[in-house]
Amino acid sequence: ERSRGLGDVYKRQAKYNAKAYDEIKFRVKKGVKPLLKELAESQDMSLNEFILTAVEKAANEANFDLTVK
């Protein structure tokens, strides 16, 4: 049996991600991204996890419900 190429795996993953997730892009000044990544890693988090945690904390402090309805 012939194995599927990684391209097929990536295509399926991209299709799933497009259905399951929204994407948010934001800009920071040159040189800030590696600093944020370093800060996140110092807390054993990915940069994405670090940002989501910060957003969830802000929402909780504002009593804002982020539950998707």
Side-chain angles (χ1 to χ4, degrees):
E1 181 177 317
R2 195 174 137 211
S3 116
R4 295 181 198 220
L6 281 179
D8 291 339
V9 173
Y10 293 135
K11 286 177 190 174
R12 283 195 311 276
Q13 187 176 22
K15 188 175 180 180
Y16 170 78
N17 286 344
K19 287 181 181 180
Y21 299 103
D22 287 328
E23 206 170 303
I24 299 173
K25 183 176 182 176
F26 69 99
R27 302 181 195 291
V28 294
K29 288 187 177 185
K30 283 280 188 191
V32 172
K33 181 180 175 183
L35 297 174
L36 290 174
K37 188 171 181 179
E38 181 181 339
L39 178 59
E41 288 172 355
S42 76
Q43 298 184 33
D44 295 321
M45 293 186 211
S46 67
L47 183 53
N48 191 69
E49 183 181 13
F50 179 79
I51 292 168
L52 287 173
T53 299
V55 168
E56 289 170 355
K57 180 180 178 189
N60 287 337
E61 289 173 359
N63 292 318
F64 187 87
D65 185 7
L66 288 175
T67 305
V68 177
K69 295 170 175 92

